[in-house]
């Protein structure tokens, strides 16, 4: 695969774009249902992708520039289903949980909740689906910022030089099994390129490039 970035010219040129999508025409999957914690038939979803570019001369016939920017913002509604402990498996420190109230104890008839475990039991939500399952909606945010700037310079009819810098920042908040706990992910990639092209003859070209990458 070869990717070619645009260069500026002797004339000014540019563009703008916007792409929008939402959940109005989405279909419901098996787990999307109306519950006390999910009053909507479908989780909300919006995506906006927009940006623009501009390029032109710095010095006629000699030096040019080109800049591009793109932004992606998404709010993806997700219906998450996970296993949890039964409602009868909760209790305060010193309380007793019986097998009848909490079948997940298995062959153990009863247990006493020690103070160290009581706060951990409170972190588990009560099931709102059959078979001790819990479902909850989540609006998953993700953003991506992309920018690139390029400069071209004509040294002579046989020698040209260009430099390019690209940066791409990403942000994503992924949900874990239970509400209130997120996996926060941030990324950044940077690329810098300097290239010199010299034409010795119609059949011989010398190209020297230096690339620096950072992630």
């Amino acid at each position: 695969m070869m990717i070619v970035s645009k260069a500026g010219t002797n004339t000014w040129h540019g563009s703008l774009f916007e792409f929008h999508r939402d959940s109005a025409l989405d279909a419901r999957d098996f787990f999307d249902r109306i519950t006390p914690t999910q009053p909507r038939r479908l989780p909300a979803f919006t995506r906006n992708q927009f940006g623009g570019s501009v390029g032109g001369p710095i010095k006629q016939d000699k030096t040019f520039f080109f800049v591009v920017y793109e932004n992606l913002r998404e709010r993806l509604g997700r219906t998450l289903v996970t296993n949890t402990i039964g409602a009868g498996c909760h209790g305060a420190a010193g309380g007793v949980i019986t097998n009848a109230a909490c079948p997940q104890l298995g062959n153990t008839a009863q247990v006493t909740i020690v103070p160290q475990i009581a706060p951990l039991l409170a972190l588990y939500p009560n099931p709102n689906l059959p078979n001790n399952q819990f479902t909850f909606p989540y609006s998953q945010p993700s953003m991506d910022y992309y920018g690139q700037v390029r400069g071209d310079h004509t040294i002579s009819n046989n020698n040209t030089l260009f430099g390019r810098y690209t940066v791409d920042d990403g942000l994503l908040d992924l949900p874990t099994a239970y509400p209130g706990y997120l996996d926060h992910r941030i990324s950044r990639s940077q690329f810098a390129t300097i290239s010199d092209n010299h034409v010795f003859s119609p059949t011989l070209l010398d190209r020297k490039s230096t690339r620096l990458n950072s992630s």
Side-chain angles (χ1 to χ4, degrees), residues 123-196:
L123 297 177
Y124 287 88
N126 288 326
N128 55 13
L129 291 177
N131 300 318
N132 291 325
Q133 288 190 313
F134 177 76
T135 180
F136 65 98
Y138 176 70
S139 180
Q140 177 177 292
S142 61
M143 289 178 284
D144 188 83
Y145 307 92
Y146 172 86
Q148 184 179 91
V149 58
R150 169 172 171 156
D152 289 77
H153 180 67
T154 301
I155 301 173
S156 67
N157 290 335
N158 295 328
N159 200 8
T160 59
L161 177 71
F162 89 83
R164 179 179 59 212
Y165 172 71
T166 305
V167 60
D168 189 0
D169 288 342
L171 170 65
L172 177 63
D173 283 337
L174 291 173
T176 57
Y178 300 107
Y181 300 90
L182 298 177
D183 182 4
H184 188 64
R185 299 184 180 182
I186 300 176
S187 65
R188 162 166 279 206
S189 298
Q190 299 181 87
F191 310 92
T193 302
I194 298 176
S195 179
D196 177 76

Coordinates of all heavy atoms in Angstrom, one line a residue, residues 123-196:
L123 N -20.4 -3.9 46.1 CA -20.1 -3.4 44.7 C -20.9 -4.2 43.7 O -21.0 -3.7 42.5 CB -18.6 -3.6 44.5 CG -17.6 -2.8 45.4 CD1 -16.2 -3.2 45.1 CD2 -17.9 -1.3 45.2
Y124 N -21.4 -5.3 44.0 CA -22.1 -6.1 43.0 C -23.6 -5.6 42.9 O -24.2 -5.6 43.9 CB -22.1 -7.6 43.3 CG -20.7 -8.3 43.1 CD1 -19.8 -8.3 44.1 CD2 -20.5 -8.9 41.9 CE1 -18.5 -8.9 43.8 CE2 -19.2 -9.5 41.6 CZ -18.3 -9.5 42.6 OH -17.1 -10.1 42.4
P125 N -24.1 -5.3 41.7 CA -25.5 -4.9 41.6 C -26.4 -6.1 41.7 O -26.0 -7.2 41.4 CB -25.6 -4.2 40.3 CG -24.5 -4.9 39.5 CD -23.4 -5.2 40.4
N126 N -27.6 -5.8 42.2 CA -28.6 -6.9 42.2 C -29.0 -7.2 40.7 O -29.1 -6.3 39.9 CB -29.9 -6.4 42.9 CG -29.6 -6.4 44.4 OD1 -28.9 -7.2 45.0 ND2 -30.3 -5.4 45.1
P127 N -29.3 -8.5 40.4 CA -29.7 -8.8 39.1 C -31.0 -8.2 38.7 O -31.9 -8.0 39.5 CB -29.9 -10.4 39.2 CG -30.1 -10.7 40.6 CD -29.4 -9.6 41.4
N128 N -31.1 -7.8 37.4 CA -32.4 -7.3 36.9 C -32.9 -8.1 35.7 O -33.8 -7.7 34.9 CB -32.3 -5.8 36.5 CG -31.1 -5.5 35.5 OD1 -30.6 -6.4 34.9 ND2 -30.8 -4.2 35.4
L129 N -32.2 -9.2 35.4 CA -32.6 -10.2 34.4 C -32.7 -11.6 35.1 O -32.1 -11.8 36.2 CB -31.6 -10.2 33.3 CG -31.6 -9.0 32.3 CD1 -30.5 -9.2 31.3 CD2 -32.9 -8.8 31.7
P130 N -33.3 -12.6 34.5 CA -33.3 -13.9 35.1 C -31.9 -14.5 35.1 O -31.0 -14.1 34.5 CB -34.3 -14.7 34.1 CG -35.1 -13.6 33.4 CD -34.2 -12.4 33.3
N131 N -31.8 -15.6 35.9 CA -30.5 -16.3 36.0 C -29.4 -15.5 36.6 O -28.2 -15.6 36.1 CB -30.2 -17.0 34.7 CG -31.2 -17.9 34.2 OD1 -31.8 -18.7 34.9 ND2 -31.5 -17.8 32.9
N132 N -29.7 -14.6 37.5 CA -28.7 -13.7 38.1 C -27.8 -13.0 37.1 O -26.6 -12.9 37.2 CB -27.8 -14.6 39.0 CG -28.5 -15.1 40.2 OD1 -29.4 -14.4 40.8 ND2 -28.2 -16.3 40.7
Q133 N -28.5 -12.4 36.1 CA -27.8 -11.6 35.2 C -28.2 -10.1 35.4 O -29.3 -9.8 35.8 CB -28.1 -12.0 33.7 CG -27.4 -13.3 33.3 CD -27.5 -13.6 31.9 OE1 -28.6 -13.4 31.2 NE2 -26.4 -14.0 31.2
F134 N -27.3 -9.2 35.0 CA -27.5 -7.8 35.1 C -27.2 -7.1 33.8 O -26.2 -7.4 33.2 CB -26.6 -7.2 36.2 CG -26.7 -5.8 36.4 CD1 -27.7 -5.2 37.1 CD2 -25.7 -4.9 35.9 CE1 -27.8 -3.8 37.3 CE2 -25.7 -3.5 36.1 CZ -26.8 -3.0 36.8
T135 N -28.1 -6.2 33.4 CA -27.9 -5.5 32.2 C -28.0 -4.0 32.5 O -28.7 -3.5 33.3 CB -29.0 -5.8 31.1 OG1 -28.8 -5.1 29.9 CG2 -30.4 -5.5 31.6
F136 N -27.2 -3.2 31.7 CA -27.2 -1.8 31.9 C -26.8 -1.1 30.6 O -26.0 -1.7 29.8 CB -26.3 -1.3 33.1 CG -24.9 -1.6 32.9 CD1 -24.0 -0.6 32.4 CD2 -24.3 -2.9 33.1 CE1 -22.6 -0.9 32.2 CE2 -23.0 -3.1 32.9 CZ -22.1 -2.1 32.5
P137 N -27.3 0.1 30.3 CA -26.9 0.8 29.1 C -25.6 1.6 29.4 O -25.4 2.1 30.5 CB -28.1 1.7 28.9 CG -28.6 2.0 30.2 CD -28.4 0.8 31.1
Y138 N -24.9 1.9 28.3 CA -23.7 2.7 28.5 C -23.5 3.4 27.2 O -23.6 2.9 26.1 CB -22.5 1.8 28.8 CG -21.2 2.6 28.8 CD1 -20.9 3.5 29.9 CD2 -20.2 2.4 27.8 CE1 -19.7 4.2 29.9 CE2 -19.0 3.2 27.9 CZ -18.8 4.0 28.9 OH -17.6 4.8 29.0
S139 N -23.2 4.7 27.3 CA -22.8 5.5 26.1 C -21.3 5.6 26.0 O -20.7 6.3 26.8 CB -23.5 6.9 26.2 OG -23.1 7.7 25.1
Q140 N -20.7 4.9 25.1 CA -19.3 4.8 25.0 C -18.7 5.9 24.2 O -18.9 6.0 23.0 CB -18.9 3.4 24.4 CG -17.4 3.2 24.2 CD -17.2 1.8 23.6 OE1 -17.4 0.8 24.3 NE2 -16.7 1.8 22.4
P141 N -17.9 6.8 24.8 CA -17.4 7.9 24.1 C -16.0 7.5 23.4 O -15.2 6.8 24.1 CB -17.2 9.0 25.1 CG -16.9 8.2 26.4 CD -17.7 6.9 26.3
S142 N -15.8 8.0 22.2 CA -14.5 7.9 21.6 C -14.3 9.1 20.7 O -15.2 9.6 20.1 CB -14.4 6.6 20.8 OG -15.4 6.6 19.7
M143 N -13.0 9.6 20.7 CA -12.7 10.7 19.9 C -11.3 10.5 19.3 O -10.5 9.8 19.8 CB -12.6 12.0 20.8 CG -13.9 12.5 21.3 SD -13.9 13.9 22.4 CE -13.3 13.1 23.9
D144 N -11.2 11.0 18.1 CA -9.9 10.9 17.4 C -9.6 12.3 16.7 O -10.5 12.9 16.0 CB -10.0 9.8 16.3 CG -8.7 9.5 15.7 OD1 -7.9 8.8 16.3 OD2 -8.4 10.1 14.6
Y145 N -8.4 12.8 16.9 CA -8.0 14.0 16.3 C -6.8 13.8 15.4 O -5.8 13.2 15.8 CB -7.6 15.0 17.4 CG -8.6 15.2 18.5 CD1 -8.6 14.5 19.6 CD2 -9.6 16.2 18.4 CE1 -9.5 14.6 20.6 CE2 -10.5 16.4 19.3 CZ -10.5 15.6 20.5 OH -11.5 15.8 21.5
Y146 N -6.9 14.2 14.1 CA -5.9 13.9 13.2 C -5.5 15.2 12.5 O -6.4 16.0 12.0 CB -6.4 12.9 12.1 CG -5.5 12.7 10.9 CD1 -4.4 11.8 11.0 CD2 -5.6 13.4 9.8 CE1 -3.6 11.6 9.9 CE2 -4.8 13.3 8.7 CZ -3.8 12.4 8.8 OH -2.9 12.2 7.7
G147 N -4.2 15.5 12.3 CA -3.8 16.7 11.7 C -2.5 16.4 10.9 O -1.7 15.6 11.3
Q148 N -2.3 17.1 9.8 CA -1.1 17.0 9.0 C -0.8 18.3 8.3 O -1.7 19.0 7.8 CB -1.3 15.9 8.0 CG 0.0 15.6 7.2 CD -0.2 14.5 6.1 OE1 -0.6 14.7 5.0 NE2 0.0 13.2 6.6
V149 N 0.5 18.6 8.3 CA 1.0 19.8 7.6 C 2.1 19.4 6.8 O 3.0 18.6 7.2 CB 1.4 20.9 8.6 CG1 2.4 20.5 9.6 CG2 1.8 22.2 7.9
R150 N 2.1 19.9 5.5 CA 3.2 19.6 4.6 C 3.7 20.9 3.9 O 2.9 21.8 3.6 CB 2.7 18.6 3.5 CG 3.6 18.4 2.4 CD 3.2 17.3 1.5 NE 4.0 17.3 0.2 CZ 4.2 16.2 -0.5 NH1 3.7 15.1 -0.2 NH2 4.9 16.3 -1.6
G151 N 5.0 21.0 3.7 CA 5.6 22.1 3.0 C 6.5 21.5 1.9 O 7.2 20.6 2.1
D152 N 6.4 22.2 0.7 CA 7.2 21.8 -0.5 C 8.0 23.0 -0.9 O 7.5 24.1 -0.9 CB 6.3 21.3 -1.6 CG 5.6 19.9 -1.3 OD1 4.7 19.9 -0.5 OD2 6.1 19.0 -1.8
H153 N 9.2 22.7 -1.3 CA 10.1 23.8 -1.8 C 10.8 23.4 -3.1 O 11.4 22.3 -3.1 CB 11.1 24.2 -0.8 CG 12.0 25.4 -1.2 ND1 11.5 26.6 -1.4 CD2 13.3 25.4 -1.4 CE1 12.5 27.4 -1.8 NE2 13.7 26.7 -1.8
T154 N 10.8 24.2 -4.1 CA 11.5 23.9 -5.4 C 12.8 24.6 -5.3 O 12.9 25.8 -5.4 CB 10.6 24.3 -6.6 OG1 9.4 23.6 -6.6 CG2 11.4 24.0 -7.9
I155 N 13.9 23.8 -5.2 CA 15.2 24.4 -5.2 C 15.7 24.7 -6.6 O 16.2 25.8 -6.9 CB 16.2 23.4 -4.6 CG1 15.7 23.1 -3.1 CG2 17.6 23.9 -4.5 CD1 16.5 22.0 -2.4
S156 N 15.4 23.8 -7.5 CA 15.7 24.1 -8.9 C 14.8 23.2 -9.8 O 14.0 22.4 -9.2 CB 17.2 23.7 -9.2 OG 17.4 22.3 -9.1
N157 N 15.0 23.2 -11.1 CA 14.1 22.4 -12.0 C 14.4 20.9 -11.7 O 13.5 20.1 -12.0 CB 14.4 22.7 -13.4 CG 13.9 24.1 -13.8 OD1 13.0 24.6 -13.2 ND2 14.5 24.7 -14.9
N158 N 15.6 20.6 -11.2 CA 15.9 19.2 -11.0 C 15.9 18.8 -9.5 O 16.2 17.6 -9.2 CB 17.3 18.9 -11.6 CG 17.3 19.0 -13.1 OD1 16.3 18.8 -13.8 ND2 18.4 19.4 -13.7
N159 N 15.6 19.7 -8.6 CA 15.8 19.4 -7.2 C 14.6 20.0 -6.4 O 14.3 21.2 -6.5 CB 17.1 20.0 -6.6 CG 17.5 19.3 -5.4 OD1 16.9 18.3 -4.9 ND2 18.5 19.8 -4.7
T160 N 13.9 19.1 -5.7 CA 12.7 19.5 -4.9 C 12.9 18.9 -3.5 O 13.5 17.8 -3.3 CB 11.4 19.1 -5.5 OG1 11.4 17.6 -5.6 CG2 11.2 19.7 -6.8
L161 N 12.3 19.6 -2.5 CA 12.4 19.2 -1.1 C 11.0 19.3 -0.5 O 10.3 20.3 -0.8 CB 13.4 20.1 -0.4 CG 13.6 19.9 1.1 CD1 14.3 18.6 1.4 CD2 14.3 21.1 1.7
F162 N 10.7 18.4 0.4 CA 9.4 18.5 1.1 C 9.6 18.0 2.5 O 10.4 17.0 2.8 CB 8.2 17.9 0.4 CG 8.0 16.4 0.7 CD1 7.3 16.0 1.8 CD2 8.5 15.4 -0.1 CE1 7.0 14.7 2.1 CE2 8.2 14.1 0.1 CZ 7.5 13.7 1.3
G163 N 8.8 18.5 3.5 CA 8.7 18.1 4.8 C 7.3 17.9 5.2 O 6.4 18.6 4.8
R164 N 7.0 16.9 6.1 CA 5.6 16.6 6.5 C 5.6 16.2 8.0 O 6.5 15.4 8.4 CB 5.1 15.5 5.6 CG 3.7 15.1 5.9 CD 3.2 14.0 5.0 NE 4.1 12.8 5.0 CZ 4.4 12.0 4.0 NH1 3.9 12.3 2.8 NH2 5.2 11.0 4.2
Y165 N 4.6 16.6 8.7 CA 4.4 16.3 10.1 C 3.0 15.8 10.3 O 2.0 16.5 9.8 CB 4.7 17.4 11.0 CG 4.4 17.1 12.5 CD1 5.1 16.2 13.2 CD2 3.3 17.8 13.1 CE1 4.7 15.9 14.5 CE2 2.9 17.5 14.4 CZ 3.7 16.6 15.1 OH 3.3 16.3 16.4
T166 N 2.8 14.7 10.9 CA 1.4 14.1 11.1 C 1.3 13.7 12.6 O 2.2 13.2 13.2 CB 1.2 12.8 10.2 OG1 1.5 13.1 8.9 CG2 -0.2 12.3 10.4
V167 N 0.1 14.1 13.1 CA -0.2 13.7 14.5 C -1.6 13.1 14.6 O -2.5 13.6 13.9 CB 0.0 14.9 15.5 CG1 -1.0 16.0 15.1 CG2 -0.2 14.5 16.9
D168 N -1.8 12.1 15.4 CA -3.1 11.4 15.5 C -3.3 11.1 17.0 O -2.5 10.3 17.6 CB -3.1 10.2 14.7 CG -4.5 9.6 14.6 OD1 -5.4 10.1 15.2 OD2 -4.7 8.5 13.9
D169 N -4.2 11.7 17.7 CA -4.6 11.5 19.1 C -5.9 10.8 19.2 O -6.9 11.1 18.5 CB -4.7 12.8 19.8 CG -3.3 13.5 20.1 OD1 -2.3 12.8 19.9 OD2 -3.3 14.7 20.3
G170 N -5.9 9.8 20.1 CA -7.1 9.0 20.2 C -7.5 8.9 21.7 O -6.7 8.9 22.6
L171 N -8.8 8.8 22.0 CA -9.4 8.7 23.3 C -10.6 7.8 23.3 O -11.5 7.9 22.4 CB -9.8 10.1 23.9 CG -10.6 10.1 25.2 CD1 -9.7 9.5 26.3 CD2 -11.1 11.5 25.5
L172 N -10.6 6.8 24.2 CA -11.6 5.8 24.2 C -11.9 5.4 25.7 O -10.9 5.0 26.4 CB -11.3 4.6 23.4 CG -12.3 3.4 23.4 CD1 -13.6 3.8 22.8 CD2 -11.7 2.2 22.6
D173 N -13.1 5.4 26.1 CA -13.5 5.0 27.4 C -14.4 3.7 27.3 O -15.5 3.7 26.9 CB -14.3 6.0 28.2 CG -13.5 7.2 28.7 OD1 -12.3 6.9 28.9 OD2 -14.0 8.3 28.9
L174 N -13.8 2.6 27.6 CA -14.4 1.3 27.5 C -15.1 0.9 28.9 O -14.4 1.0 29.9 CB -13.5 0.2 27.1 CG -12.9 0.3 25.6 CD1 -11.8 -0.8 25.4 CD2 -14.1 0.1 24.6
P175 N -16.3 0.4 28.8 CA -16.9 -0.1 30.1 C -16.4 -1.4 30.5 O -15.9 -2.2 29.7 CB -18.4 -0.2 29.7 CG -18.4 -0.6 28.3 CD -17.2 0.1 27.7
T176 N -16.4 -1.7 31.8 CA -16.1 -3.0 32.4 C -17.4 -3.7 32.7 O -18.4 -3.3 32.2 CB -15.2 -2.9 33.6 OG1 -15.9 -2.1 34.6 CG2 -13.9 -2.2 33.3
A177 N -17.3 -4.8 33.5 CA -18.5 -5.6 33.6 C -19.7 -4.9 34.4 O -20.8 -5.2 34.3 CB -18.2 -6.9 34.4
Y178 N -19.3 -3.8 35.2 CA -20.3 -3.2 36.0 C -20.3 -1.7 35.9 O -19.2 -1.1 35.6 CB -20.1 -3.6 37.5 CG -20.2 -5.1 37.7 CD1 -19.1 -5.8 38.0 CD2 -21.5 -5.7 37.6 CE1 -19.2 -7.2 38.2 CE2 -21.6 -7.1 37.8 CZ -20.4 -7.8 38.1 OH -20.5 -9.2 38.3
P179 N -21.4 -1.0 36.1 CA -21.4 0.5 35.9 C -20.4 1.2 36.9 O -20.2 0.7 38.0 CB -22.8 0.9 36.2 CG -23.6 -0.4 36.2 CD -22.7 -1.5 36.5
G180 N -19.9 2.3 36.4 CA -19.0 3.1 37.3 C -17.5 2.8 37.2 O -16.7 3.4 37.8
Y181 N -17.2 1.7 36.4 CA -15.8 1.3 36.3 C -15.4 1.4 34.8 O -16.1 0.7 34.0 CB -15.5 -0.1 36.8 CG -15.9 -0.1 38.3 CD1 -17.1 -0.5 38.7 CD2 -14.9 0.2 39.3 CE1 -17.5 -0.6 40.1 CE2 -15.2 0.1 40.6 CZ -16.5 -0.2 41.0 OH -16.8 -0.3 42.3
L182 N -14.4 2.2 34.4 CA -14.1 2.4 33.0 C -12.6 2.0 32.8 O -11.8 2.1 33.6 CB -14.3 3.8 32.6 CG -15.8 4.3 32.7 CD1 -15.8 5.8 32.3 CD2 -16.7 3.5 31.8
D183 N -12.4 1.6 31.5 CA -11.0 1.4 31.0 C -10.7 2.6 30.1 O -11.2 2.7 29.0 CB -10.9 0.1 30.3 CG -9.5 -0.2 29.8 OD1 -8.6 0.6 30.1 OD2 -9.4 -1.2 29.0
H184 N -9.9 3.6 30.7 CA -9.6 4.8 30.0 C -8.4 4.6 29.1 O -7.3 4.4 29.7 CB -9.4 5.9 31.0 CG -9.3 7.3 30.4 ND1 -10.4 7.9 29.8 CD2 -8.3 8.2 30.4 CE1 -10.0 9.1 29.4 NE2 -8.7 9.3 29.7
R185 N -8.5 4.8 27.8 CA -7.4 4.6 26.9 C -7.1 5.8 26.1 O -8.0 6.4 25.5 CB -7.7 3.4 25.9 CG -8.0 2.1 26.6 CD -8.2 1.0 25.6 NE -8.4 -0.3 26.3 CZ -8.6 -1.4 25.7 NH1 -8.6 -1.5 24.3 NH2 -8.9 -2.6 26.3
I186 N -5.8 6.2 26.1 CA -5.3 7.4 25.4 C -4.2 7.0 24.5 O -3.3 6.2 24.9 CB -4.9 8.5 26.3 CG1 -6.1 9.0 27.2 CG2 -4.4 9.7 25.6 CD1 -5.7 10.0 28.2
S187 N -4.1 7.4 23.3 CA -3.0 7.1 22.4 C -2.6 8.3 21.6 O -3.4 9.2 21.4 CB -3.4 6.0 21.4 OG -4.4 6.4 20.5
R188 N -1.3 8.4 21.2 CA -0.8 9.4 20.3 C 0.2 8.8 19.4 O 1.1 8.1 19.8 CB -0.2 10.6 21.1 CG 0.7 11.5 20.3 CD 1.0 12.8 21.0 NE 0.0 13.7 20.8 CZ 0.2 15.1 20.8 NH1 1.4 15.6 21.0 NH2 -0.8 15.9 20.7
S189 N 0.1 9.2 18.1 CA 1.1 8.7 17.1 C 1.6 10.0 16.4 O 0.7 10.9 16.0 CB 0.5 7.8 16.1 OG 0.0 6.6 16.7
Q190 N 2.9 10.1 16.2 CA 3.5 11.2 15.5 C 4.4 10.7 14.4 O 5.2 9.8 14.7 CB 4.2 12.1 16.5 CG 3.3 12.7 17.6 CD 4.1 13.6 18.5 OE1 4.3 14.8 18.2 NE2 4.7 13.0 19.6
F191 N 4.4 11.4 13.3 CA 5.3 11.0 12.2 C 5.8 12.2 11.5 O 5.1 13.2 11.2 CB 4.5 10.2 11.1 CG 3.7 9.0 11.7 CD1 2.4 9.2 12.0 CD2 4.3 7.8 11.8 CE1 1.6 8.2 12.6 CE2 3.5 6.7 12.4 CZ 2.2 7.0 12.7
A192 N 7.1 12.2 11.3 CA 7.8 13.4 10.6 C 8.6 12.8 9.5 O 9.3 11.8 9.6 CB 8.7 14.1 11.6
T193 N 8.5 13.5 8.3 CA 9.2 13.0 7.1 C 9.9 14.2 6.5 O 9.3 15.3 6.3 CB 8.3 12.4 6.1 OG1 7.6 11.3 6.8 CG2 9.0 11.9 4.9
I194 N 11.2 14.0 6.0 CA 11.9 15.0 5.2 C 12.4 14.3 4.0 O 13.0 13.2 4.2 CB 13.0 15.7 6.0 CG1 12.5 16.5 7.2 CG2 13.8 16.6 5.0 CD1 13.6 17.1 8.0
S195 N 12.1 14.8 2.8 CA 12.5 14.1 1.6 C 13.1 15.0 0.6 O 12.6 16.2 0.4 CB 11.3 13.3 1.0 OG 11.7 12.7 -0.2
D196 N 14.2 14.6 -0.1 CA 14.8 15.4 -1.1 C 14.9 14.6 -2.4 O 15.3 13.4 -2.4 CB 16.2 15.8 -0.7 CG 17.0 16.6 -1.8 OD1 16.6 17.8 -2.0 OD2 17.9 16.0 -2.5

